[in-house]
Amino acid sequence: MDPLGWFEILGRMAWQFMPVWIALIVTFTLSIAFKRKLGLYGKLFDSRIGMVGFFIVAFWLFTAFFADYIITHNPLSQGRGMRNAAPGTPMARLAEGMYEYYLLGGDTRARDVFSRAVMGAREVLTIAPFAAMISFMIGISLGLPAGYIGGRLDTGLTFVANLVLAFPVILLFFLLVAPEIQDTAIPVSMAGVLFLVPVLFFMVLVNSRFHTQPWKRNLYVGLVLAFGLWAYSGLAFNADPLGFWGMSPNLLNVFVAVVFVNAPTVFRIVRGITLDIKTRDYVAAAQTRGEGPWYIMMWEILPNARGPLIVDFCLRIGYTTILLGTLGFFGLGVSPESPDWGSTINDGRSVLRSHPHLALVPALSLMSLVLGLNLLADGLREESLKD
Amino acid sequence: MLLFLLRRIGVMLLTALCLTFVVFYLTNLPAKLETLAKTQAGSRISDAEVQSWLARNGYDAPMLARYGEWLGVLPGWTREAEDGTLTGRCMRDVEDPAMAPARCGIFQGYLGQSTRFRAPVSEVIGARLGATGWLMLWVVIVMVPMALIVGVLAGMREGSRTDRSLSTFAIASTATPEYVSGVVFIALLASTTVGLSPLLSSWGWLPENTALFQGNARSALDQITFWNFTLPVMTIALYGMGYVARITRASMTEVMTQQYIRTARLKGVSFPNIVMRHALRNALIAPFTVIMLQIPWLLNGVVVVEVLFSYPGFGWVLFEAAVNNDIELLLAASMVAVVVVLLTQLISDVGYVFLNPRIRIS
């Protein structure tokens, strides 16, 4: 068989992505049809930049979701004679039912670059949004009281946040994400503290709203606690009795490091916004009504701070993706088999000048995802400012 | 002002102390010390040999005591071998062990010995910082004017076509981390078999089998040329640029809506004159602080780029020290990094006060 030309490669790739296209078409038709009823999300479809950003992000989201149907080969299996194969090379040895080509070539261990890049999307998109979310909850839970109550609490928290921010990120990664650290209690105890915060966050959120109706409060707080502690036991200590939640020590280590780096920045943003909002009239009105401080923080200040926070959340997912890539690039905290984009770039680095496709495919994938997130954030910012 | 400065410096010292302790703690975990012993004395040594190597080199004291030794507030460890020769923390560089000072730490200006490079840390850091200094100098020379021009041009007429395209460019550049742009640059411009160089050679503009740019910057240590330094500098500058440009744009658009700009326009001042004489000065206050705060962020990029382009500078040393758990080198490197971070924060705060007349006069 002859190797494929570029048009054929693109055509076959587009065909492989068929489930993604269908999902995208459905999403866009529905969203545009009902955009007036969808709030901020619907307004996104009024701005061209926001739509492009949303398209790219949704593309990668659906790719991660349908990855099993898109890949042409197992991302870990090695094809005989396909080492560093050029894009579009037919398989040297074709087994029954196997896809005939390596669409984007083979890597240094003769694995399919295309399938690895697609699977890499799943790796990245399972960690990055989740890590950004935990960072946000920590930043919010600490930033609200620091800004609202102020005083010594604020001084102390700000000092700690600045301490972490003064640490060069890369140095922190070198120190925190190492196989030796995984054997110590450091990642687990850090996770124990960091993952507890979201549980507390939701508890306080519910409690401050319903504390005047005890039976409702007890029900909701109980539900939050039951679900939160279930997830907490699995994620932080890998001790989930049902085995639903869980993270490998490798992943936990990476996760903790990324959250630790991101949370102080969120803290600073939330603190700044809180300082601004707490002088507003509706906060004074709530104080006069006799609402408790947590109610004011969680139900008066936080909803009014949502605009900048949503925008920053998009940016933060992008930044987390970059951080994860940096970790992979230095070979930190990932197994050598892992198809995530950072370590694939690192693998391809040695043969960059003779076989650039190895590193270029994951590099461009990563860039497009982050670009999509940034464009989406820009569109959201523009639309939320119009209100 | 003086009180403000003193307080800031006090906080700075406290921060540096906390951070070095964290680094010290993380590099001195038992598992890490074991790795260090194995890389130094051979990977196949037994546990007992690891213990004796650690004891011989002064790693068996409690961690706080050793942190005190490193700071120079506690006397350095000494050890008498069975044949009567004295070894100790402070006796590595002196001829006569008896003449060695009791304390040697950073308060005495002694940074220790690098186990990876087998040389005093101050020498290693000093030489490498110089190399990185050149890199950073060029990065700043390229990045700052480019970012300011892009930001001002985009922010001068908000919503225009120039603004749209330049803003998209700025967003794209913040979305391209160094390890992506570096890889793309090398593949496009520094390879003899793919990218632009073979094309140029086939047109006869380049000799056969040469790349346009060099993908390896080691030769820049001897002499910096356009061909070996462009790619590393561009790689770092591109990522940092977008952010500064966006801040400049935001600040510029804000200034352009001010009353005094409208007054100037109504007075009949020409548009270039308004931008240059009325808007620019006020619009550049915010970017100044951002540029200063951006410098420590560039450290990330410096490490990536120096590893990618094998340019032996400070970032490369940090990488090597971390990989080999070279404790004292890592401590010194992190101290340098922290001091740079805190100093730039201080400069940005002080500079903001000086640049902003509203704060300066009140």
Side-chain angles (χ1 to χ4, degrees), chain B residues 183-200:
Chain B
V183 159
V184 172
F185 280 149
I186 292 182
L188 266 186
L189 301 171
S191 158
T192 52
T193 50
V194 285
L196 217 57
S197 312
L199 201 66
L200 287 180

Side-chain angles (χ1 to χ4, degrees), chain B residues 323-338:
Chain B
V323 170
N324 295 292
N325 199 34
D326 187 339
I327 297 173
E328 290 186 325
L329 185 56
L330 207 49
L331 276 167
S334 55
M335 216 173 61
V336 171
V338 167

Side-chain angles (χ1 to χ4, degrees), chain A residues 202-218:
Chain A
F202 280 115
M203 215 177 77
V204 173
L205 186 75
V206 173
N207 185 41
S208 61
R209 185 87 168 83
F210 296 108
H211 71 109
T212 45
Q213 299 149 283
W215 65 270
K216 228 180 189 177
R217 189 262 312 261
N218 292 347

